[in-house]
Amino acid sequence: MAVPIKAGIEKVPGGLMLVPMLVGAVVHTAAPDSGEFFGSFTGALYTGLPAILAVFYVCLGSTLDVKATPYIAKKGGVLLGSKVLFAMLVGIVLGRLLGEAPVSGGAFAGLSTLAVVAALNDTNGGLYMSLMAQFGRKRDVGAYSVMSLESGPFLTMVTLGAAGLSAFPWQTLVGAILPLVLGMLLGNLDPEMRRFLAPAVPALVPFLGLSLGLTLNLTAVWKAGLLGVGLGLFVVLVGGAVLLLADKASGGDGIAGLAAATTAGNAAVVPSIVAAANPVYAPAAQSATVLIASSVVVTSILCPLITALWARRVLKQPSGSGQTGAPAADDGTPSPAPQHLPGGHPAAVAPRDAG
């Protein structure tokens, strides 16, 4: 008898990332020495997160097509640029107030510049693409091929450095983006390599979640509480307002901007990578991971609702009606629902299919 494990996990927003992460955290909390006890391949799951991430980013990079059309490059560039600039501005403000360390007490205990910047810097690509497909925005779906460049710790490291906090050696910054660049090189030089590597991306997501969870202690989870919800609200409401204005300023109607106001499940691994690269961020890493995980869930729930409400206003869609037609800028043909990753990234984005 088949047991619908995958279908059940996917009912949780970002489930294939978050559920294994929770399982790993339970194991680590209950038996923190189990990795050393079993050793071998089992023990490697406790310490193998960087290696799994390196493979993940090579495979993800292979899905990014550099031959983006001008529209896709413009739309993706505007959304990517506005997210990064907003995260940088927030990082500068929080950096002056908090520095690298998390808040030590009070209602904001555990909050850090690292948590907020990492939550802002990585978009849930699967959700973005699904929303764009719902509203018939084929070319806006393809824009995520540009936005995917935000994946990984590179932009977060750059943002923290630009905010005047402890910076990272150039070798570390280059090393953080090399796997993605290598994947892009392989995928664009040889379409067969893209077809070979792309299917591995969703399969690696649960392993990322499990390995990350095996570094967490659940005694820190309850501390996130309303603070994690607040971080998610900040990303989807304040970050969404910035993206909406940037989208409209570039000639759009704001729908794509609001659809990008999320936190990807994969962003939860960024604090541990940043802390490994620069130990000064180690005190903030664990609480930042928990806060980001909360933001993933909150933004995954609220973003579709807010985007749909705005779309009905912009497109004058009657309540209860089906999909809207494509705007004049698109070709009018409905867009198929894209495959997407539970961790927040597309399985493949091919601009040639984006109109």
Side-chain angles (χ1 to χ4, degrees):
M1 181 181 68
V3 179
I5 297 175
K6 182 172 180 288
I9 292 176
E10 287 181 331
K11 291 181 180 179
V12 179
L16 283 183
M17 176 75 180
L18 297 181
V19 172
M21 185 173 74
L22 179 61
V23 171
V26 170
V27 171
H28 180 68
T29 303
D33 298 324
S34 55
E36 296 178 4
F37 178 80
F38 288 107
S40 189
F41 304 121
T42 300
L45 284 173
Y46 286 73
T47 58
L49 181 61
I52 298 174
L53 277 167
V55 175
F56 174 81
Y57 286 123
V58 170
C59 296
L60 178 64
S62 71
T63 70
L64 308 183
D65 195 336
V66 297
K67 298 178 181 177
T69 64
Y71 177 88
I72 289 172
K74 176 186 175 183
K75 176 69 72 172
V78 166
L79 296 180
L80 173 64
S82 56
K83 285 205 77 164
V84 172
L85 290 175
F86 179 59
M88 195 169 291
L89 176 62
V90 172
I92 291 172
V93 173
L94 290 180
R96 297 291 177 85
L97 296 174
L98 304 179
E100 298 90 352
V103 177
S104 58
F108 295 97
L111 184 67
S112 63
T113 308
L114 173 61
V116 179
V117 169
L120 287 170
N121 258 341
D122 205 345
T123 301
N124 186 328
L127 183 57
Y128 169 83
M129 293 169 66
S130 296
L131 288 170
M132 292 300 95
Q134 176 184 341
F135 297 109
R137 304 299 180 87
K138 292 182 68 177
R139 296 194 296 178
D140 287 346
V141 168
Y144 193 74
S145 60
V146 176
M147 296 166 63
S148 288
L149 294 173
E150 67 189 356
S151 301
F154 175 75
L155 287 178
T156 296
M157 291 179 179
V158 171
T159 301
L160 292 172
L165 302 179
S166 295
F168 302 83
W170 70 265
Q171 297 96 326
T172 300
L173 291 174
V174 173
I177 202 171
L178 266 182
L180 193 71
V181 173
L182 175 60
M184 291 178 64
L185 185 64
L186 292 172
N188 283 275
L189 289 177
D190 184 1
E192 286 298 323
M193 286 299 294
R194 174 177 295 164
R195 285 189 283 270
F196 173 68
L197 293 172
V201 180
L204 287 169
V205 170
F207 295 99
L208 291 176
L210 179 62
S211 291
L212 177 62
L214 289 170
T215 68
L216 300 177
N217 192 310
L218 281 177
T219 56
V221 172
W222 69 271
K223 295 180 181 179
L226 293 177
L227 191 59
V229 175
L231 178 59
L233 289 173
F234 179 77
V235 171
V236 77
L237 296 178
V238 182
V242 171
L243 289 166
L244 182 148
L245 292 175
D247 189 9
K248 289 177 70 75
S250 67
D253 54 20
I255 296 176
L258 286 176
T262 53
T263 301
N266 298 318
V269 304
V270 170
S272 63
I273 302 173
V274 170
N278 191 336
V280 74
Y281 293 100
Q286 188 167 108
S287 59
T289 298
V290 176
L291 290 171
I292 292 169
S294 298
S295 181
V296 172
V297 176
V298 172
T299 58
S300 295
I301 294 171
L302 287 183
C303 179
L305 298 177
I306 293 173
T307 304
L309 289 173
W310 179 259
R312 287 175 182 170
R313 175 182 175 181
V314 170
L315 304 175
K316 296 181 173 58
Q317 176 185 0
S319 179
S321 66
Q323 289 186 352
T324 64
D330 285 331
D331 59 12
T333 58
S335 175
Q339 291 185 338
H340 58 277
L341 306 183
H345 294 289
V349 181
R352 62 180 177 275
D353 296 331

